[in-house]
Amino acid sequence: MDTTTLAAFVAVDLLLVLTPGADWAFAISAGLRERAILPAVGGLIAGYAGYTLLAVAGLVVIVAGSPTALTTLTVAGAGYLVWLGWNVLRRPAVLAASEETAKASRMQMMLKGAGISGLNPKALLLYFSLFPQFIDTTGGSWPVAAQTGLFGTLHMTTCAAVYLTVAVLARTVLKTRPSAARAVTCGSGVLMILIGLFLLAERVAA
């Protein structure tokens, strides 16, 4: 594979991942919950793994060519973000969760993470719009499926590094500041709602 193309993809992908959004908000919220960082980030990566598998199978190209399918996914993702944000505002993360609560919530955090990344508008942009621009379909040395798998793996690795850092920093910086932690958590919930409402408004306007 052309190293220039690969470097360009990594640069664009890193820029997208570093842009705060729903994934960031969820990672920050997870950082403020007891033992929730790894399951939450694992869930986010699992959602992108699903996209990668679809991309390797060639289904991304099919969905990208269907405006109705893209609109449906976008609206579903927007609605899910609004619902999650509202729940974050209703039950802000607490720093001193009990062991029983922590154990009970790990799977929930992982499933929420997978849902957020699986319906993340940035994921739709990345896999359905960006990937095809970097894939060589002229019959190069790498099959299309292999190129897609490599791009997906690079994206998941970047996400894991960035979101783990965000969650750990949130816990480290805010652990001794309960009021600031609550404010940041509520801010994350508000951000999820605003992103969801913006996407819904954009779909209606279109």
Side-chain angles (χ1 to χ4, degrees):
M1 179 180 291
D2 184 2
T3 55
T4 302
T5 300
L6 193 60
F9 172 82
V10 171
V12 174
D13 181 59
L14 183 60
L15 181 63
L16 284 174
V17 175
L18 287 175
T19 302
D23 288 359
W24 272 61
F26 185 65
I28 291 172
S29 178
L32 301 176
R33 294 181 183 274
E34 189 69 19
R35 300 188 180 183
I37 292 178
L38 290 181
V41 174
L44 290 172
I45 303 307
Y48 290 124
Y51 271 117
T52 299
L53 291 176
L54 290 176
V56 170
L59 296 181
V60 164
V61 177
I62 297 175
V63 175
S66 172
T68 300
L70 282 176
T71 298
T72 301
L73 287 173
T74 301
V75 170
Y80 186 62
L81 287 179
V82 171
W83 179 78
L84 280 178
W86 173 245
N87 279 282
V88 168
L89 292 178
R90 287 177 56 205
R91 296 187 297 272
V94 294
L95 297 176
S98 67
E99 184 71 17
E100 181 179 355
T101 301
K103 287 182 179 179
S105 65
R106 288 174 193 168
M107 182 56 69
Q108 294 174 1
M109 292 297 290
M110 188 168 185
L111 291 175
K112 284 183 179 180
I116 287 176
S117 60
L119 294 172
N120 191 340
K122 282 202 301 185
L124 298 178
L125 171 66
L126 180 71
Y127 283 88
F128 296 146
S129 299
L130 194 63
F131 267 37
Q133 298 181 37
F134 289 94
I135 293 176
D136 180 10
T137 58
T138 61
S141 57
W142 284 57
V144 171
Q147 295 177 62
T148 305
L150 176 59
F151 289 145
T153 301
L154 288 172
H155 174 64
M156 289 186 289
T157 302
T158 302
C159 286
V162 171
Y163 299 149
L164 280 173
T165 301
V166 169
V168 170
L169 284 176
R171 170 168 293 182
T172 302
V173 174
L174 300 173
K175 188 173 183 179
T176 58
R177 301 176 177 82
S179 59
R182 185 180 181 87
V184 169
T185 303
C186 290
S188 299
V190 171
L191 180 61
M192 290 183 189
I193 293 174
L194 290 177
I195 292 173
L197 291 177
F198 172 78
L199 290 170
L200 287 173
E202 187 179 43
R203 286 295 93 191
V204 170

